[in-house]
Amino acid sequence: MTGMLIAGERTDGAAGEGIDVIDPATEERIDSVPRGTAADVDAAVEAADRAFVDWQKTDAEDRANLLRKAIALIERDRKDLTMSLVHEQGKPVTEAGGEIHHLIHGLNYYADLATKVRGSYQPLPSALSKAYGMVIRRPMGVVAAIVPNNFPLTLLGTKLAPALMAGNTIVVKPAATTPLTTLKIAELLLEAEFPPGVVNVITGKGSEVGDALVTHDKVRRVAFTGSTAVGRHIMGLAAPKLKRLTMELGGSDPVIVAPDANIKAAARGIAIGRFWNCGQMCLGGKRIYVFDEVYDELLEQLTRTVGKYEPGLGWEKAEKPAIRVGPLHTADGRDEIHAQLQDALDGGGELVLGGDKRDGTGYFVNPTIVTNPALDSRVAREETFGPVLPIWKVSDLDEAIRLSNDSEYGLGASVWTNDIRTIHRVANEVEAGMKWVNQFHYGYDELPFGGVKQSGYGKEHGQEGLDYYLEDISVVVGGLE
């Protein structure tokens, strides 16, 4: 069993029970981790609270240098981390390597920002006495980071790096099914000489350790990525204690393909944006609206492109021109995506590609395209967390925008066009927290990212991501006469 990390030490936890980690491609047990308890959460938070006393006083440049040292160790162990991610999450080697790259880029970005935190100076009226004001920026204290199973390292980095560089300490709760590579990263932070207790990792079930972490009195800030339903639950737990929250929740991102679009580029971008990580991403093009003038051409090109995807073991390369796609992460996820697809077909959708259930070991699902399902079907109304792509024909931009906004979600959206008027309307009228033009949906570390409506609130990435880990404190300086 691979132990949790509390106060710089490995531990099997208070209960001494384990949770198996399963390879979704083979359904075999890889390892196990402790089934954490509220007592373990308390130990981790107390360790983080003690470490905060000195960590907040550590020079920003020294904090950044420690993170850069950890980055070098991650680079050193890149191959081992990649294969660890392949086996516990299921994604192919290429995608796992891309996630490591994204993690490193984000860590470097926030290491560079650590020394760029600024406050402000404000002259004040002299009616009481001669004085001036300052706004200084201080870390919050102990931060809880709750990370999902689809991108365990990327979404770890978007929380861990700004939290640490702002001077906070952290307790990370990875998904129960993908804890192993996170624990390896935490071990490397210790090797880089981060003080014990600055970074702690608790493993276990969300309903047990996650809830205990969110409600702990000494946790000042909670950063969560996951489903909207769980996000609502966490908000309810945090509300009585007025904790600071950022919620990056579910999404059902629309993609609009206009008549002047580069159809080949659009088809390739849509395929990558939908079938990367076997479609398991909050941020991904999940509802495609195509103008009728280019509908047939786009569908033909997209079908040809998606037809190259070949489900299989993530550590085996597909024979060219096939493109490897891994399994879904869980059996429940596989069953859910099949149920959503069946509902689309029952409601009049036409199956163009895929759709059949695969026999054998592993949670594999063939990449699937379905056209013009009912607008109240599950693939239109819910988040589809798997490799199913619904496509609708639309008559004009007004219809495309109306259908794009006819969703409770508002995470991302995109448009394929070279018409500045179309770009302007989509940028201003589609209800989503981030938008792309002629590109698939990708979260850049340099830009703030977060949703609207039921896709959450608050920002990760960018300077704004660091801001959410700092408190603005007003100071009045008088007695100057």
Side-chain angles (χ1 to χ4, degrees):
M1 180 159 55
T2 299
M4 299 182 284
L5 194 65
I6 299 176
E9 300 291 337
R10 292 286 191 186
T11 174
D12 289 342
E17 299 177 7
I19 298 175
D20 288 342
V21 180
I22 304 299
D23 186 327
T26 65
E27 302 182 47
E28 295 177 353
R29 176 185 177 278
I30 308 169
D31 198 348
S32 66
V33 293
R35 181 168 184 162
T37 65
D40 298 315
V41 169
D42 186 61
V45 174
E46 290 293 341
D49 188 54
R50 291 192 300 271
F52 177 67
V53 174
D54 292 328
W55 182 247
Q56 66 173 321
K57 301 173 186 176
T58 303
D59 286 348
E61 188 170 9
D62 291 338
R63 293 197 296 259
N65 286 336
L66 285 174
L67 187 56
R68 292 190 180 100
K69 187 175 179 181
I71 292 167
L73 296 175
I74 293 170
E75 290 275 19
R76 182 198 69 188
D77 293 354
R78 182 192 286 261
K79 289 185 179 179
D80 173 64
L81 294 168
T82 297
M83 293 311 299
S84 174
L85 191 57
V86 168
H87 283 289
E88 71 171 333
Q89 203 284 329
K91 62 187 61 184
V93 167
T94 299
E95 295 182 11
E99 185 167 349
I100 302 291
H101 174 81
H102 200 171
L103 169 69
I104 290 170
H105 181 84
L107 297 182
N108 272 310
Y109 179 79
Y110 283 107
D112 291 342
L113 277 184
T115 58
K116 311 302 187 295
V117 176
R118 291 185 175 184
S120 61
Y121 165 86
Q122 175 63 54
L124 297 175
S126 57
L128 298 178
S129 67
K130 188 175 181 181
Y132 65 87
M134 297 186 297
V135 178
I136 62 174
R137 313 192 72 196
R138 302 292 300 159
M140 294 180 177
V142 180
V143 171
I146 301 177
V147 183
N149 62 47
N150 56 335
F151 292 98
L153 299 190
T154 299
L155 297 172
L156 168 68
T158 60
K159 298 165 179 58
L160 179 136
L164 296 182
M165 293 304 93
N168 303 283
T169 55
I170 195 166
V171 179
V172 178
K173 192 276 174 198
T177 55
T178 53
L180 298 176
T181 317
T182 296
L183 287 165
K184 290 176 184 287
I185 294 292
E187 195 73 52
L188 294 178
L189 292 172
L190 277 179
E191 186 178 342
E193 299 182 0
F194 274 82
V198 170
V199 179
N200 308 271
V201 181
I202 293 290
T203 58
K205 301 291 186 180
S207 59
E208 298 168 357
V209 294
D211 287 5
L213 187 56
V214 170
T215 56
H216 197 288
D217 287 339
K218 290 186 178 179
V219 171
R220 293 285 309 282
R221 160 93 162 82
V222 178
F224 172 76
T225 301
S227 72
T228 297
V230 176
R232 292 189 187 111
H233 171 71
I234 288 174
M235 290 173 65
L237 294 176
K241 297 185 179 179
L242 301 179
K243 296 181 184 292
R244 303 292 182 86
L245 302 174
T246 49
M247 297 274 114
E248 196 263 279
L249 306 179
S252 183
D253 293 6
V255 178
I256 298 171
V257 183
D260 67 321
N262 180 327
I263 298 302
K264 185 175 181 179
R268 181 176 181 274
I270 290 168
I272 294 172
R274 171 70 289 210
F275 298 108
W276 190 268
N277 200 33
C278 198
Q280 299 167 109
M281 44 196 165
C282 299
L283 191 69
K286 297 175 183 176
R287 295 177 290 136
I288 315 300
Y289 300 110
V290 187
F291 282 61
D292 52 12
E293 298 97 313
V294 292
Y295 177 86
D296 291 338
E297 183 183 358
L298 185 282
L299 182 59
E300 179 183 357
Q301 183 67 50
L302 187 58
T303 302
R304 185 182 307 119
T305 301
V306 177
K308 296 177 183 178
Y309 282 85
E310 180 183 273
L313 301 175
W315 54 91
E316 293 182 355
K317 287 186 177 181
E319 187 174 338
K320 292 184 177 180
I323 302 168
R324 173 65 73 235
V325 60
L328 286 175
H329 185 60
T330 66
D332 287 345
R334 176 194 57 194
D335 295 343
E336 177 74 1
I337 204 71
H338 278 306
Q340 289 173 318
L341 173 61
Q342 190 59 53
D343 174 77
L345 299 178
D346 292 344
E350 180 181 347
L351 184 65
V352 175
L353 185 72
D356 50 316
K357 291 190 175 182
R358 293 173 57 92
D359 296 326
T361 303
Y363 312 133
F364 293 98
V365 174
N366 290 319
T368 299
I369 297 174
V370 59
T371 57
N372 297 301
L375 293 176
D376 62 353
S377 63
R378 293 183 64 186
V379 295
R381 310 309 303 173
E382 301 175 357
E383 179 177 31
T384 50
F385 215 65
V388 170
L389 181 65
I391 304 174
W392 289 268
K393 183 186 293 186
V394 296
S395 59
D396 55 29
L397 186 58
D398 287 338
E399 183 182 14
I401 292 174
R402 177 177 60 79
L403 292 175
S404 293
N405 289 338
D406 186 21
S407 172
E408 68 175 359
Y409 297 107
L411 196 56
S414 63
V415 62
W416 292 82
T417 183
N418 293 308
D419 188 331
I420 189 62
R421 295 165 298 182
T422 300
I423 294 169
H424 177 78
R425 286 197 62 192
V426 170
N428 285 279
E429 297 179 32
V430 173
E431 298 165 346
M434 191 169 185
K435 296 159 193 177
W436 294 260
V437 178
N438 298 329
Q439 187 176 313
F440 60 86
H441 301 195
Y442 178 84
Y444 288 92
D445 292 299
E446 294 78 5
L447 292 173
F449 167 66
V452 300
K453 301 195 290 189
Q454 295 299 303
S455 290
Y457 59 83
K459 299 297 180 183
E460 293 189 326
H461 301 245
Q463 174 69 54
E464 292 82 354
L466 186 65
D467 292 343
Y468 273 86
Y469 290 90
L470 294 162
E471 290 183 309
D472 291 344
I473 308 296
S474 294
V475 179
V476 176
V477 180
L480 301 177
E481 295 176 322

